Amino acid sequence: MIKVTDNYYRKLVVEILSQSFDDNKSVNYVIPQGNRRKNALIKLMEYSFDICLKFGEVWLSDDKKACSLVLFPDKKKDTFQTVLWDIKLALYIKAVKTLKREGKIKKHHPKEPFAYLWFVGVFPEAQNQGIGSKLLNDIIGEYERRELPIYLETSTEKNVPWYKKLGFQIFEEIQFTYKLFMLRRISA
């Protein structure tokens, strides 16, 4: 796996995530529908990339067909730059709905440091070929070495067995206009 350390792969990562999450319930819950949806999706993924590059890690599969954004919430700080990013993003998303949703999610996060697997995506044409599993296994190994638990959410019910197979456990479910499964993987 490739650790992204600058903006060189930004466009590729945003493209993978935008395609991967195009029909995702959780993402579509926070972005406007209609003719602004596609642009809002791209802006959300650009924002997420920027935040994770600054306060987390961005990973690409070796074949560059899959990627993951990992945030370290305990490292995230408000700076002039991040406030500007937040304001810019608010122009494209349903800001109030997003803040309420994020508040409900964060109530269930631990106080101690953890790796927050914000997004993991694979180009649609490359899905179901083991690329995402390989990347996620590499990520699991990386954070196990650092003794960091991994937390994530998914609104894609068919992905729950995949996460469970990789050692994640559901610890909470939140009902919005869709069901959000909260999962964690805690090293022994």
Side-chain angles (χ1 to χ4, degrees):
M1 110 181 131
I2 301 163
K3 184 175 181 180
V4 176
T5 57
D6 57 34
N7 282 319
Y8 181 79
Y9 288 114
R10 185 177 193 256
K11 185 176 179 182
L12 175 63
V13 169
V14 168
E15 188 177 333
I16 293 169
L17 294 175
S18 295
Q19 288 185 30
S20 299
F21 286 85
D22 187 50
D23 63 352
N24 181 275
K25 293 174 192 171
S26 185
V27 168
N28 281 296
Y29 182 77
V30 299
I31 62 174
Q33 301 304 297
N35 60 356
R36 293 181 39 214
R37 189 183 76 76
K38 199 69 144 181
N39 191 40
L41 176 61
I42 290 167
K43 295 299 182 187
L44 174 62
M45 295 310 171
E46 288 173 345
Y47 170 86
S48 303
F49 175 92
D50 293 339
I51 291 291
C52 287
L53 193 61
K54 188 164 184 76
F55 302 111
E57 294 174 331
V58 178
W59 300 98
L60 264 175
S61 61
D62 291 326
D63 61 7
K64 299 179 185 82
K65 293 181 181 178
C67 66
S68 181
L69 301 182
V70 178
L71 179 66
F72 303 128
D74 63 305
K75 305 269 192 245
K76 189 171 184 283
K77 307 284 184 254
D78 288 330
T79 66
F80 181 72
Q81 182 181 41
T82 62
V83 170
L84 287 178
W85 289 344
D86 290 346
I87 292 168
K88 184 178 174 185
L89 179 66
L91 299 173
Y92 294 96
I93 65 167
K94 299 173 183 174
V96 173
K97 198 176 216 182
T98 302
L99 290 171
K100 285 181 180 178
R101 188 188 77 147
E102 293 305 305
K104 288 180 180 181
I105 290 169
K106 287 180 182 178
K107 282 184 197 174
H108 300 287
H109 285 169
K111 301 291 182 234
E112 62 274 352
F114 67 99
Y116 177 59
L117 186 61
W118 198 352
F119 291 104
V120 60
V122 179
F123 274 128
E125 66 274 8
Q127 291 177 2
N128 301 312
Q129 297 175 20
I131 296 166
S133 294
K134 165 106 174 68
L135 178 62
L136 192 48
N137 272 315
D138 289 348
I139 288 168
I140 289 167
E142 178 70 27
Y143 298 120
E144 275 189 348
R145 279 189 291 283
R146 298 186 206 179
E147 298 180 353
L148 281 175
I150 305 170
Y151 282 69
L152 65 91
E153 296 93 39
T154 186
S155 60
T156 308
E157 197 163 347
K158 71 177 184 174
N159 287 348
V160 171
W162 178 62
Y163 286 120
K164 284 182 171 182
K165 187 173 132 187
L166 294 168
F168 288 87
Q169 297 176 333
I170 294 173
F171 69 94
E172 190 66 50
E173 294 177 18
I174 303 174
Q175 190 65 46
F176 295 102
T177 56
Y178 60 92
K179 187 182 289 189
L180 187 68
F181 300 91
M182 300 188 71
L183 297 103
R184 64 184 168 208
R185 188 176 196 288
I186 300 173
S187 303

